[in-house]
Every structure is written in C-alpha cells, then in structure tokens.
Amino acid sequence: MAKKKTTTTKKKTSSKKVSLGLSKQNKIILGSLLILFSMALFFSFVSYYFTWQDDQSLLSEFANRNEQAKNLLNKFGASVSHFFVYKGFGVASLILTVMLCITGLYLFLSLDKKGLLKKWIWGLIFMIWISIALGFFAETKPLLGGLVGYEMNDFLQDYTGKIGVVLILIFGLIFILVRFFELTPEGVASTFKKKTSSLKSELKSTAEADPTTAPAPAKEPIIKAEKEEPIVLDTYTHKKDIPPLKTEVEPIDDFEVTVPVEEETEEDLAMEVEKIVEEKEETSNIADKLVEDFGEFDPTLELGNYKFPTMELLDQHGVTGGITINQEELEENKNKIVDTLKNYKIGISQIKATIGPTVTLYEIVPEAGVRISKIKNLEDDIALSLAALGIRIIAPIPGKGTIGIEVPNKNATIVSMRSVIASSKFQKAEMELPIAFGKTISNETFVVDLAKMPHLLMAGATGQGKSVGLNAVLTSLLYKKHPAEVKFILVDPKKVELSIYNKIERHFLAKLPDSEEAIITDNAKVINTLNSLCIEMDNRYELLKVAMVRNLKEYNAKFKARKLNPNDGHKYLPYIVLVIDEFADLIMTAGKEVETPIARLAQLARAIGIHLIIATQRPSVNVITGIIKANFPARIAFRVTSKIDSRTILDAQGADQLIGRGDMLYTQGNDVTRIQCAFVDTPEVAKITEYIGAQRAYPNAHELPEYSGEDSGTSIDYDIADRDAMFREAAEVIVTAQQGSASLIQRKLKLGYNRAGRIVDQLEAAGIVGPFEGSKARQVLVPDLTALDQLLSNERS
C-alpha cells in the first residue's frame, strides 16, 4: 500500500513541473511526430481525390508488397484516406490534420495546454457541420461529405425532410457564428452603418471634387472670407479693418472666464476615469496575451527538476497492520466504569468505545436526571478503579449528547510519520501549508492548514515530544511544498535540535545577508533576524497595496497571471515560517528586544504569508505576554505537570491528564482535540535532508532584508562633510511628510535600505528627526521647509 501511495505522490508533484507529465525532450519528440503525421495525412487526403478510383482495388491488397498505389503516400495514404475521407467526414477531414498540427506545435514549443481542448471541440463541431452540409448539397458526390455526412442527411431527411435539414444547418451556422466568431445583430448593424457612412462620405467628397457640381464664381469670395476668419482671430492682425469681429472675440473670452469650475472638473474627472479604465483594460489584455503565449508564471521552473522526498525515506514504526483490538481489555474497562458509576448511584443507558492509537474513548449516555458535574467529579475515582495513568472526562462531548471518558490503552500503538504522510487525507489536502500532526482517537489522520491558524504555540514539559512535534511540522511541509513556495527561519537556542536542517540551507532556509549559518543559535542574531522580518513584512504590505490585493494568495495568483510588472519591484513571494524552539530562554536573555518584533509579527504578518511556530515549556505571562498570546489561537499542549500549567496553555484543563510520549491536545480557539503526534526519528529527518540537499539548489539561501540597528544613530556624531549626497532631498521628504522613517526615504528617493538607514541616522544627528522609538515612526522635529532651510544654513555658517 505504501508503494502505491508513493507513486501517487510522485505523480502529483511532477504535474506541478511540466504539463501532461512529460519531460521537455519527450514533448519535443512527440510534438514533431504529430506535426509530421498531420502533414502526411494532409497530402494523403488531397491526393485521394485524384487517385481514389485507381487505388480502390488495392485496399484489400495492403499486405502485398508488390502492389503499388498512386496516392502520394502509397498504400498507407490510400487506406487512411479511404477510412477518414470516404467512410468519415469527406473534405472536412482536412480539419483533423490542422488540429493534429496545432497539438504538435503546443507540445513542440512547450506552450500551456490551456485552450487546446476548446480548439479540439470546435474542430469537431466544424467537421460535423461541414460534413452534413456537403452531404446535403452534394448528394450525388458522397466523397465531399463522406459516409458520415451522407448517412446523417439520410437519417435527418427521413424524419424532417429537406426543409428540416436546411433549418438544422442554418441553426448550426448561427451557433458557430455567435459562439465562435462572437457575431451579434448589434455588431453586424454597427459594421453595416460604418460601411454605409464611409461610402456616403466617399461619394460626397467625390461630388465636391467634381467640377460640374462646383459653386458659382460669385460666391467664391464669401467662402474664402469665412475660411479666413479663424486665421484673423488666431493672429489678431488687421484689427482696425474688422471692427465687427471684436464683439465675437469678447464673448469667447467671457465664456472662458465664466465657465463653472464644477463642469470642467467633472469632465476632466470623467476623462481621467475613462483613461484609467482604458489603461487597466490594456494591462489586462497584455497580461492575458502573455499568459496565452507563454502560460502562467511558474516559480518552480528555476528548480524544475526538483524531486520531492519519497516515502522510503521514512520508517514504518510500530505495527503495520493498524490498531490491534484487545477485546478483553475493552470489556474489563467497560465493566469497571459501569460499576464505579453504579456505586455512586449513577445509571447508564448506553455505552460505546472508540479505539485510538494510545487512548480509547468510552462514550456514555447517562440516565435522565443525572447531573453532568456529578460524573465529572468522579475523575479520580474512575482512574483508581481502572488503575490507569490518567483519565480525562469530556462532559459533554461537543456536538454529541454523550459524556466521554478517555482511558489510556495498556499497549499503545506508535503512529509513524510514514503512515500519516501516505494517507489520502494529507495527499489530497488542498491547503496552502498542510501539516499532518498525527492521528485522533478515532484513528483519523489529523491535517490542518498553517496558513489559516495563522500562528502556532506549542508547550509542554521537558521530554514530552515538543521537538518531535516540530520535526513533524517541518517534515509535512517538506513533503508537500516546493523550495520556491516556502522558506524556513529556524531559531534553535539549544544549538542541537534543528542543526540537522543545515543540509537544505540553499533549498528551504532564509537568513540575513551577512550570516554564515542559516540556523540561528546566537540570541543577538535572533534580534536582528526578527527586525529584518518586520522590514520584510512592511515591504510585502507595500507590494500588496500597490497590487491592490488583500493577502499573499491573491498577490501570487495575480503575479502568476502576469498582471504585475517585475520592473515595478513585484516578484513571487514565498511563504515564510519562523520556528523558535525554547522561546522562554530567548525571552530570559533578550527580553523586550525580542518581544516587540514578535508582537508585531503575530498581529500583522498573517496576511502576507509570514507564520510563527513558537515552542516553550510553559507560556507564562512573563514569557508570552497577553498581546502575543491573543494572536496565537492555535495551540498544542503536550503533557504538563499541573492543572495550572494546562490552564496557562489551553485556557482549559486536560493537559495534565495526558500520558506523554507524543500524546497532545490541539485547539484552535474552540474545541479541544486529542491527538497522538506522529513519530519521526532523527535519522529519518537526516535522510530526508540529505535527499533534498543532494539535489540542485539555489545559489544561496533566501536572503532577508539587511537590518542594522536603527538606534545606533544616537551614539554616532556625523560630520557635515560626510553626509550623504541625497541628505538634503531626504530631509525635505521627511519634513514635508512629517513622518520620520527609512522606508519613506526608500520609496520616495528609490534608495536601498542600508543607505536610507544611514541617512536617517544623519538626520537624527542633525536634529531633524527624533530618536528610535521601536515600531513607531521617528518624530519629526522640524515643522516646515522654511525652518529646515534656516537650520541647515545655521550649520553651514
């Protein structure tokens, strides 16, 4: 079964890279074959009309090598032509050669196959209509319409007569003209009007040019005078000679002065709107033409031969045949639950069991009149009677009229990552960032979309499976996403947990330009990386604003459709997943410097494809503040030691009743789901990273924007001679906008971030802007340009 699903995975992934599942070389070979075959059919069909009588007797002698046909392609041409022309569609069979040639060109030139099916459908409609039409009008010559046209006419005439066939053919012609040629009565009428009007104007101009219809000589001076009037008005010459024309000039001047401003504005506004609409339509038409010619932009082309990891890289842990049912254990636990509740005079009307990998859920329906709180308070008593490690009571189960009692199995089943990845639920998941966590109590694969979470908080005591959970998340994305589609930023204060992903640095990892290693272990570099990620976030939002879209998915779809110009700074934006292991250690050492950018990213980054996964032992208030925690609705809790810790993580009890070893609770702000996390061992992750790392990669890891601490300007005193050449222009931009930020200078003056940052430091040293204030823009200390000129002139003096 595993092998079969592996094949499915490969087919899916390869379909992203090339159409029809063929390599470029195979497409060229197949395309050239179809083009040459269409040419052979064309020559065969044409020559058939001249040689069919001579070749008729040879059709039965096809196997005899001594017999020769007069068709241009000999016996092959005679046989194929007889089949398609005589027994088929007649002259209309030539359309088949055209369609084969077009298909061959699509393959040979590696064009997008979009629209090819439509061409084939219309080709078949044309063939059938022409065949029937020729069969009707050339009944004595069946070769024109072929046997199909002849038989169809014979059939239709038997039921509708000749007039009926004519009407059917007219309807077919109207259908083709309207749907294929997009003709409408209004269009035909407007074309006719244009032709008649142009014809009338030509006749009129011809009549005026004709000397026989010329006006009398006496009227010539009047015509000349009328024609000369505009010249007199334009040049204002001979004013004394033509005093009456003064009265005509004055009203024109008055009209220009007294025209209401609103009318002119409305007219200009209408013209402006019309111009914008025309520009948009023109851009859209250009984009559609580019897509039609070259296909949609494919970000995976740079690594077009990239192969996704195979299932063989993962081990099949535990039992391969699924969950083993211990009937004796089920019966024993059921009886103990019933007896314990009976001891407290709680009757049960129904009980059923759902067996999971590590836990069995017993659903009970209490008798009428039993209080739910009474059962909930018996949690410890039921645990005592069952001698179980931890009992969790769900009262009631959401969406059901039952109470759930989760009892750990004596022999737990390991959920392997291989079984989860190979499941159809994960393979067919139509999600942006699919993550397979493991299996639920009902033994169903649990798959969620990280893009919709949008951030994930993982917590649990030491040794309960947090690191394995992180590996499961990263492995899921490696099996589903191409290197062009997602990038990881890995922060590992332990320095050993995530170092195994170093091998895929140039495929999947992102880092700062000056960093040697992509996996961040130094807390000082974490601060720079987080601030750099904030800059990336701001830059992406700027691109989304210019593109007039709301989120990354819409932006990338628009870019793939070639509706965004790369010359304007647009590019394909991959998802960025920030993974932080042991967040508490980071907060203890870096504190507020880490908290501020994390809070910004948690609040704003979801729409532009930056998602956070934070793992910590206990998300207490001093580690994860209320602002950060509020933006992490998706939370995972592994086993913890106390109810207080459970409430801290999930805002509910239950995490303290887990049995460890990957047993976890997942919530996304509503229901809590119990999952057995999929187990992926370190050697398996090593094999996956080696498999990916051995393939062709990008020249470097994905580079984040360079960040140099903006607050460094307070300690540096810039000399006037060392100021940037664009210092004056930047100062005017900042003072005019009354907004002190490096990104504003970048946009207005088209500078890089480093240079803009240096100019901001120089502006601070000059007293034009205030000090760095975290996420806020700097305060502008100069009120207007006059004050700026005075300040700069004082410096020079």
Side-chain angles (χ1 to χ4, degrees):
M1 285 199 54
K3 285 184 180 176
K4 190 175 180 182
K5 291 189 177 181
T6 305
T7 312
T8 313
T9 311
K10 286 181 181 174
K11 282 182 182 176
K12 276 194 168 190
T13 54
S14 63
S15 66
K16 288 183 181 179
K17 292 180 280 185
V18 289
S19 59
L20 299 175
L22 298 172
S23 65
K24 191 170 183 180
Q25 293 88 346
N26 290 338
K27 286 202 287 186
I28 292 169
I29 293 166
L30 184 58
S32 58
L33 176 65
L34 285 175
I35 293 168
L36 296 172
F37 183 64
S38 66
M39 293 170 66
L41 289 179
F42 178 80
F43 290 123
S44 301
F45 293 170
V46 171
S47 64
Y48 179 75
Y49 280 95
F50 301 97
T51 63
W52 69 274
Q53 290 177 328
D54 297 327
D55 296 340
Q56 193 73 21
S57 59
L58 297 175
L59 294 174
S60 59
E61 300 290 333
F62 189 85
N64 190 353
R65 293 183 62 180
N66 296 323
E67 295 291 341
Q68 297 293 317
K70 291 190 177 181
N71 192 289
L72 288 176
L73 269 81
N74 213 322
K75 286 186 286 185
F76 168 78
S79 301
V80 171
S81 302
H82 181 74
F83 178 78
F84 281 104
V85 178
Y86 181 77
K87 291 186 176 181
F89 299 93
V91 175
S93 300
L94 291 170
I95 295 173
L96 180 66
T97 64
V98 176
M99 298 312 301
L100 285 172
C101 185
I102 290 171
T103 307
L105 286 170
Y106 265 74
L107 288 169
F108 189 83
L109 299 174
S110 296
L111 300 175
D112 186 11
K113 64 179 183 296
K114 185 180 177 183
L116 185 59
L117 179 63
K118 188 178 178 182
K119 288 182 174 62
W120 269 97
I121 291 169
W122 278 110
L124 291 172
I125 291 171
F126 276 118
M127 281 175 63
I128 293 167
W129 188 85
I130 292 169
S131 177
I132 296 171
L134 290 175
F136 178 79
F137 292 108
E139 288 183 1
T140 56
K141 297 179 180 178
L143 279 178
L144 291 176
L147 202 58
V148 171
Y150 180 80
E151 291 293 341
M152 288 288 287
N153 269 286
D154 193 39
F155 173 79
L156 291 171
Q157 285 184 30
D158 286 345
Y159 285 94
T160 61
K162 289 195 174 184
I163 294 175
V165 175
V166 171
L167 295 175
I168 290 169
L169 288 171
I170 291 170
F171 173 75
L173 181 62
I174 292 169
F175 176 81
I176 291 169
L177 290 174
V178 172
R179 292 305 300 268
F180 187 77
F181 295 101
E182 297 181 353
L183 286 179
T184 58
E186 294 83 0
V188 174
S190 63
T191 306
F192 180 73
K193 281 180 183 177
K194 284 179 184 177
K195 291 290 182 186
T196 52
S197 61
S198 63
L199 187 65
K200 281 181 182 178
S201 61
E202 284 177 12
L203 290 171
K204 191 175 180 182
S205 60
T206 308
E208 287 176 355
D210 192 350
T212 56
T213 58
K219 293 182 181 180
E220 278 181 11
I222 297 169
I223 294 167
K224 283 182 182 178
E226 286 176 359
K227 287 185 178 179
E228 285 171 4
E229 277 179 15
I231 299 169
V232 174
L233 283 169
D234 288 341
T235 55
Y236 293 100
T237 54
H238 307 293
K239 285 185 181 178
K240 291 180 181 178
D241 299 334
I242 47 169
L245 287 177
K246 268 190 176 183
T247 55
E248 291 180 19
V249 176
E250 284 171 8
I252 291 170
D253 290 340
D254 291 343
F255 176 74
E256 288 178 359
V257 172
T258 57
V259 165
V261 181
E262 288 79 13
E263 285 182 18
E264 192 172 335
T265 309
E266 284 175 10
E267 191 175 323
D268 291 345
L269 184 63
M271 290 173 68
E272 189 97 9
V273 169
E274 191 177 342
K275 186 180 178 184
I276 290 167
V277 170
E278 284 177 4
E279 285 176 358
K280 281 188 177 178
E281 286 178 358
E282 188 179 349
T283 308
S284 182
N285 291 336
I286 292 168
D288 292 339
K289 192 174 186 310
L290 285 170
V291 171
E292 189 178 337
D293 292 343
F294 304 104
E296 286 193 346
F297 173 77
D298 186 0
T300 63
L301 279 181
E302 193 173 346
L303 296 184
N305 296 323
Y306 174 79
K307 293 179 182 177
F308 285 76
T310 60
M311 291 296 165
E312 285 73 21
L313 300 171
L314 295 169
D315 298 332
Q316 186 71 57
H317 299 283
V319 185
T320 55
I323 296 170
T324 55
I325 300 171
N326 189 335
Q327 198 66 39
E328 291 179 7
E329 183 186 343
L330 287 174
E331 197 65 32
E332 186 183 347
N333 287 342
K334 185 199 82 170
N335 292 333
K336 285 180 180 178
I337 291 170
V338 173
D339 291 341
T340 305
L341 294 174
K342 196 180 288 182
N343 291 337
Y344 291 92
K345 295 183 174 53
I346 298 172
I348 296 171
S349 61
Q350 187 183 344
I351 184 168
K352 67 174 183 176
T354 305
I355 305 163
T358 55
V359 175
T360 299
L361 172 66
Y362 293 89
E363 291 183 56
I364 62 172
V365 180
E367 289 180 350
V370 177
R371 294 170 68 99
I372 291 175
S373 60
K374 197 174 180 181
I375 298 174
K376 208 166 185 181
N377 292 334
L378 296 175
E379 192 170 69
D380 295 334
D381 300 284
I382 295 170
L384 178 65
S385 66
L386 294 171
L389 182 62
I391 299 294
R392 182 168 169 264
I393 293 180
I394 313 164
I397 296 175
K400 296 182 180 180
T402 59
I403 294 170
I405 301 174
E406 293 175 349
V407 182
N409 298 335
K410 288 180 181 176
N411 298 313
T413 306
I414 297 174
V415 176
S416 66
M417 196 69 200
R418 178 168 179 163
S419 64
V420 172
I421 295 289
S423 66
S424 60
K425 193 169 184 181
F426 179 75
Q427 293 295 333
K428 295 177 182 177
E430 296 294 330
M431 299 176 181
E432 294 300 308
L433 296 172
I435 296 172
F437 279 123
K439 294 194 175 181
T440 62
I441 284 179
S442 55
N443 205 34
E444 292 180 2
T445 304
F446 190 79
V447 182
V448 289
D449 190 359
L450 178 61
K452 291 182 179 177
M453 285 187 188
H455 310 298
L456 177 63
L457 175 63
M458 299 175 71
T462 304
Q464 301 303 318
K466 290 195 302 298
S467 296
V468 173
L470 287 176
N471 284 333
V473 170
L474 296 172
T475 303
S476 300
L477 295 173
L478 290 177
Y479 266 89
K480 201 71 174 172
K481 305 306 288 184
H482 190 276
E485 297 172 321
V486 65
K487 301 294 177 185
F488 302 120
I489 300 173
L490 305 180
V491 178
D492 183 17
K494 290 182 186 175
K495 303 184 180 180
V496 291
E497 291 291 346
L498 301 175
S499 59
I500 199 165
Y501 293 97
N502 262 325
K503 295 169 188 172
I504 58 170
E505 177 181 328
R506 292 188 296 131
H507 291 86
F508 281 101
L509 300 189
K511 65 175 185 178
L512 291 171
D514 58 344
S515 296
E516 294 179 7
E517 294 184 358
I519 296 171
I520 307 156
T521 55
D522 184 9
N523 288 341
K525 288 186 178 178
V526 174
I527 297 164
N528 290 342
T529 303
L530 292 174
N531 283 296
S532 172
L533 208 51
C534 289
I535 296 165
E536 174 73 14
M537 178 180 73
D538 294 335
N539 292 342
R540 287 189 173 201
Y541 267 118
E542 190 67 31
L543 290 174
L544 261 63
K545 185 181 83 173
V546 173
M548 290 183 289
V549 292
R550 293 184 60 192
N551 54 51
L552 186 80
K553 188 177 179 182
E554 292 175 8
Y555 177 87
N556 282 339
K558 205 168 183 179
F559 187 81
K560 284 182 180 178
R562 302 184 187 274
K563 292 181 180 178
L564 299 174
N565 192 345
N567 294 328
D568 297 335
H570 293 292
K571 58 185 176 181
Y572 181 83
L573 300 176
Y575 284 93
I576 296 176
V577 180
L578 171 65
V579 179
I580 302 178
D581 197 6
E582 296 299 342
F583 184 68
D585 179 69
L586 203 60
I587 288 291
M588 287 165 64
T589 53
K592 290 285 183 184
E593 291 177 294
V594 167
E595 185 185 330
T596 302
I598 285 283
R600 282 202 72 210
L601 292 168
Q603 290 178 80
L604 301 172
R606 66 190 75 181
I608 42 85
I610 298 176
H611 303 282
L612 279 58
I613 300 173
I614 291 177
T616 182
Q617 290 183 5
R618 181 172 181 256
S620 55
V621 177
N622 60 336
V623 174
I624 292 185
T625 60
I627 294 174
I628 296 176
K629 198 173 175 182
N631 289 285
F632 282 81
R635 298 176 198 170
I636 287 176
F638 292 91
R639 188 186 179 193
V640 293
T641 54
S642 67
K643 286 182 170 63
I644 297 170
D645 288 353
S646 178
R647 286 187 179 278
T648 308
I649 300 164
L650 298 173
D651 298 326
Q653 292 183 18
D656 55 313
Q657 300 294 337
L658 299 174
I659 60 173
R661 295 176 61 82
D663 191 17
M664 70 184 205
L665 295 175
Y666 170 83
T667 179
Q668 201 166 349
N670 38 29
D671 302 336
V672 177
T673 308
R674 192 166 185 173
I675 305 164
Q676 178 60 41
C677 184
F679 179 68
V680 53
D681 206 358
T682 307
E684 296 175 69
V685 180
K687 284 191 283 185
I688 293 168
T689 54
E690 283 172 9
Y691 180 86
I692 295 171
Q695 299 184 53
R696 180 174 168 266
Y698 295 107
N700 298 299
H702 182 79
E703 287 193 353
L704 297 170
E706 190 172 346
Y707 174 80
S708 54
E710 281 196 46
D711 53 347
S712 60
T714 55
S715 59
I716 299 173
D717 188 16
Y718 284 95
D719 188 11
I720 295 175
D722 296 334
R723 282 178 181 169
D724 194 281
M726 302 287 284
F727 176 82
R728 175 76 186 217
E729 290 87 340
E732 289 175 356
V733 167
I734 292 293
V735 171
T736 305
Q738 286 294 302
Q739 181 186 349
S741 68
S743 58
L744 178 67
I745 297 173
Q746 274 184 278
R747 292 196 304 273
K748 294 292 185 183
L749 302 181
K750 297 179 181 178
L751 302 177
Y753 184 80
N754 291 341
R755 189 177 178 187
R758 283 194 297 272
I759 292 175
V760 168
D761 293 338
Q762 292 167 9
L763 291 170
E764 183 185 350
I768 296 170
V769 296
F772 178 68
E773 297 181 23
S775 58
K776 293 181 182 178
R778 292 171 183 256
Q779 184 183 359
V780 181
L781 305 175
V782 179
D784 51 30
L785 293 175
T786 308
L788 177 67
D789 291 336
Q790 189 174 355
L791 176 67
L792 296 178
S793 61
N794 289 340
E795 283 184 346
R796 285 194 294 271
S797 61

